[in-house]
Amino acid sequence: MKNQQFVLAARPEGLPEEKHFRLEDLAIPAAGSGQVVVKTLYLSVDPYMRGRMNDRKSYSPPFPLDKPIAGGAIGQVTESLTETYRPGDIVSGFWGWQRFAAVDAGQVRRIEAGGAPLSAYLGVLGMTGLTAYFGLLDIGKPQPGETVVVSGAAGAVGLVVGQIAKLKGCRVVGIAGSEDKIRYLTEELGFDAALNYKRPDLPAALQEACPNGVDVYFDNVGGTVSDAVLALINPGARIPLCGQISLYNNGKPDVGPRIQPLLLTNTALLQGFLVGQYADRSAEGMEALAKWLAEGKLRYRENIIEGFENTPQAFIGLFHGDNTGKQLVKVADPV
Ligand SMILES: NC(=O)c1ccc[n+]([C@@H]2O[C@H](COP(=O)([O-])OP(=O)(O)OC[C@H]3O[C@@H](n4cnc5c(N)ncnc54)[C@H](OP(=O)(O)O)[C@@H]3O)[C@@H](O)[C@H]2O)c1
């Protein structure tokens, strides 16, 4: 057994590429007092990581160069100098792109694997599921009969948003980037309509798919897709602003329509949010998501790439639409 980590070798300008990451060999760490050593089983790669690769002030600090990339992970404890954890325990944490890490016990959380596979705790029962749950229900407040549009609809957050909106009795329209994804949303997840944003007539097709306008727009992507949706909002619309992935690789600020008149004349609410704001309510979200999952009311997909050495490739693929559902890296099986 050896330890390896991926460090940020250079800050990307534009799309991230393999050359921006460097694989390093190092010793497996020993646990210090109050620490556990974890062996990584699954790694989460997420669009927000792209923002942390810039040297710009944001809600979380930039990743330092030449240090391992931080991010959500699931692992198995191999050594413990705490009363709380024993070797063999499965935990989640934020130690990121490393095969082994020594982590303070307070920085990990035990996973009591129940009915769901371990990987689900990084997706539908983890950060992205909770993002969908709180963004849609707390800000979007969908009501039966309303029209909910979600962009990035076949991604980790989007597919949960659309299904919760269906459970709330809404007409759900998804927007995604391939015909396979469109079929998955309508034929397998029960979306009422889904549109490929790469079609040239997106604004007209959206209007047709939303004959009663748009009451809730869950925005994962921004850019021209959001311009087309916002043109259709109804009075009193709610817009949970979750992500802007179409802009993450832009060097310059995006210039688009000025939307304030639309928001004003429709008395609409546009609210940015971060899932971390809901940390003290995560048990509520987890309970609801786990219940819907167990009842078969919530379905999900994962795009799992095998092998730690493929972590940068998995991350880069997010910006090329390679994933349907949550993008993960499988590093090892539990023992
Ligand atoms: N606010 C929060 O707390 C929070 C938490 C988690 C995630 N987010 C945000 O939510 C969004 C979705 O995250 P996720 O984890 O569920 O990722 P994801 O949707 O599973 O993966 C990214 C997807 O974005 C789409 N995409 C990539 N480039 C695009 C572009 N230029 N225009 C339109 N779509 C593009 C691709 O699908 P297509 O094939 O459809 O293009 C890709 O598969 C991201 O913007 C992320 O930053 C926010």
Side-chain angles (χ1 to χ4, degrees), residues 175-179 181-182 195-198:
I175 304 176
S178 77
E179 293 309 312
K181 292 184 183 187
I182 298 306
L195 299 170
N196 187 336
Y197 64 84
K198 292 172 184 164

Side-chain angles (χ1 to χ4, degrees), residues 15 44-49 59 127-128 131-132 151-159 175-178 181 196-198 218-222 225 241-249 272-277 317-327:
L15 284 166
S44 174
V45 291
D46 293 277
Y48 75 83
M49 293 173 162
Y59 62 92
M127 188 273 280
T128 52
T131 302
S151 55
V157 174
L159 65 80
I175 304 176
S178 77
K181 292 184 183 187
N196 187 336
Y197 64 84
K198 292 172 184 164
F218 193 104
D219 188 4
N220 279 320
V221 309
V225 170
L241 180 52
C242 177
Q244 298 279 282
I245 193 168
S246 74
L247 311 181
Y248 292 174
N249 294 299
F273 74 98
L274 298 170
V275 64
Q277 290 170 246
L318 292 170
F319 301 97
H320 300 281
D322 290 355
N323 59 306
T324 298
K326 180 76 191 101
Q327 181 64 60

Side-chain angles (χ1 to χ4, degrees), residues 102-125:
V103 192
D104 291 344
Q107 300 296 310
V108 298
R109 182 189 288 203
R110 188 188 309 278
I111 293 181
E112 305 285 4
L118 279 184
S119 55
Y121 293 87
L122 289 174
V124 66
L125 294 179

Side-chain angles (χ1 to χ4, degrees), residues 44-98:
S44 174
V45 291
D46 293 277
Y48 75 83
M49 293 173 162
R50 176 63 187 86
R52 295 195 67 186
M53 290 171 191
N54 298 327
D55 194 10
R56 264 184 241 138
K57 187 169 177 282
S58 187
Y59 62 92
S60 45
F63 288 137
L65 287 173
D66 303 319
K67 296 279 187 237
I69 298 200
I74 286 176
Q76 188 161 32
V77 174
T78 58
E79 186 194 350
S80 173
L81 289 187
T82 79
E83 292 296 309
T84 326
Y85 296 103
R86 292 278 162 270
D89 287 351
I90 306 285
V91 295
S92 66
F94 212 68
W95 59 88
W97 297 12
Q98 319 186 64

